[in-house]
Amino acid sequence: MNKIQFNKITLLLILLSTTVFSQTANFTWTDWAKNGHNGYQNPNIIFPTTEDFTIYSIEKSGSHVYAPKLIYITKHDYNRQVLKDVSFKLPQRQRMDATLIDVIEGDNKLYFFSNIALKKDGKNVLYVQVFDNDSFTISEEKELFTLPIEKVNNSGFFNVEISPDKNTIAVLVNNVFEKKQNEKITTVLFDKDLNEIANSNFTLNFESERAYKEQLYITNDKTVHIVKHTDIFKKEPKTAVITINGTDINTQQVSASEFYISDSKVITVANTNYLIGFATDNVKPGISVGGKKDKSYFLYDITNGNLIRNQGWSDTILKKVLGKGFLDLTIQNVLTQDNNIYLIGECYKSESALKEGASFEYDYTYNIGPGIVVKLDTAGQVKYESYLKYSDTYKNEAKRIASFYPFLNNGKLNLLTTEKEYVLKEKKIVLGNKKIEARAVILNTIDDTGDQTIVPFWDSKVGGEDLIIDFAPTFTKQIDTNNFAIYGYGNLYHAFGKMTLN
């Protein structure tokens, strides 16, 4: 080895050492507990602070398959002391329990939307119940919208969404279907206190039928976007964006021949609305090999009505992907900063099979990974494509416990996730060893060229050795620049905690 090579290796070791030790983290964990207790079966962390956090859990109130839902909300400190708690049921009409539609997180509030469609009184009613985190109370149920119906199996349906600034709530009412008629919708806008501020009826240029898949968006300036997918099982599926501004409506077909959108999201940057996501040029051949292959990512300017870019994956990325495209690629998140857009995708697929000898009970399998990050600007200039190499399979209660939480810091994208210790330490797998599934939290920082730096936090674990198996933070939520609330799950036990980046 010559002197130049020695100096290069020395410099590399110094850089690696600096990278590893320049970022550390502290963890505060509650004690492990079984996740079968009432109020803790399906926890979601909301409104965390550095002192406490709140969780809500939606659970069946009985053992019957169609048992009504019961919602538990509990505030804790990080020593797992219960500070406040409340529980409530969804509305009931004529002894019929409501069906939960969605839970929307507002400004220190939670909105629980549900509906009941009954033939007896001829109406489908949209209800909302509001949890206020300041007073720690749940409001009386409120009827937001009533849709007249003649029968339950043709009762229309509701969709709800909140604007990014949490000030406006949009309700999309898909009216009762009529044969050989065009689809009729109603859009209703409310402020955050549920005062109605707009109500408009429209007849769309789409046939009134159920074979649609659509997403609802509401921007801060109260513009409604409906991304509607039609002909989804045909050779050339179509994607259109319906824009509603007051009483004005405009429809744009975004997809085209050999440009078929598989997953997308509406974002706003500098007062311009965009549709961003993943696409393929060929749908049918992918069906025989486990699903369509996403072969590109795109950016479409909704405000000005033009496709900015549809970019196929680079040869470098394709070499890392089995085949010539990603299977089951979905949008995990989209972050924006100035004119830069970070499109974050993850391959995700779930499968289910009826348990042998059981009724209405299923075994679930969840396959995740790999992932991809694309950084581009609003002009369509690509800054980098960065491949996220991971793959995991989970069953039943485990679900997607190994995904990641993205956030921006100092102009760089960071991903908080976990990795198996034997992978991080490059150890061989020993079959039967209980430690092979033990995980550590890692911070993956992506620089301006797309290169990744992984820093493991070895003291991130919680619980005894046997309880660490399959452990991973399944949920992370940012409190402030350096603090994160996390939820860890493993071996039918779980714990809540706080992570502080130093």
Side-chain angles (χ1 to χ4, degrees), residues 4 201 203 226 397 428:
I4 294 177
N201 297 305
T203 299
I226 305 169
E397 291 90 347
K428 294 182 179 179

Side-chain angles (χ1 to χ4, degrees), residues 343-362:
L343 172 61
I344 307 164
E346 177 180 64
C347 293
Y348 172 69
K349 185 178 182 180
S350 63
E351 298 175 319
S352 62
L354 188 66
K355 288 185 177 180
E356 187 174 351
S359 299
F360 302 105
E361 293 184 34
Y362 293 84

Side-chain angles (χ1 to χ4, degrees), residues 5 17 50 79 83 96 120 145 149 164 194 213 234 251 276 288 315 326-327 334 371 402 427:
Q5 289 174 319
S17 176
T50 56
N79 294 316
L83 306 177
M96 174 68 73
K120 290 181 180 179
F145 194 90
I149 64 171
L194 296 174
K213 187 174 75 171
K234 296 183 179 180
T251 301
I276 188 170
S288 61
D315 291 339
F326 289 92
L327 284 174
V334 180
K427 291 185 176 181

Side-chain angles (χ1 to χ4, degrees), residues 35-92:
N35 67 348
H37 296 165
N38 289 341
Y40 298 90
Q41 295 175 19
N42 304 293
N44 297 270
I45 298 177
I46 51 172
F47 316 129
T49 71
T50 56
E51 303 300 324
D52 55 47
F53 63 95
T54 302
I55 65 169
Y56 74 92
S57 181
I58 302 169
E59 302 169 13
K60 292 193 298 184
S61 59
S63 59
H64 192 272
V65 174
Y66 301 108
K69 298 289 192 301
L70 190 64
I71 294 102
Y72 298 87
I73 305 178
T74 315
K75 184 183 287 290
H76 304 75
D77 61 20
Y78 289 99
N79 294 316
R80 204 170 175 266
Q81 295 297 314
V82 176
L83 306 177
K84 298 177 182 179
D85 66 273
V86 65
S87 63
F88 63 98
K89 291 183 178 180
L90 296 175
Q92 190 179 72

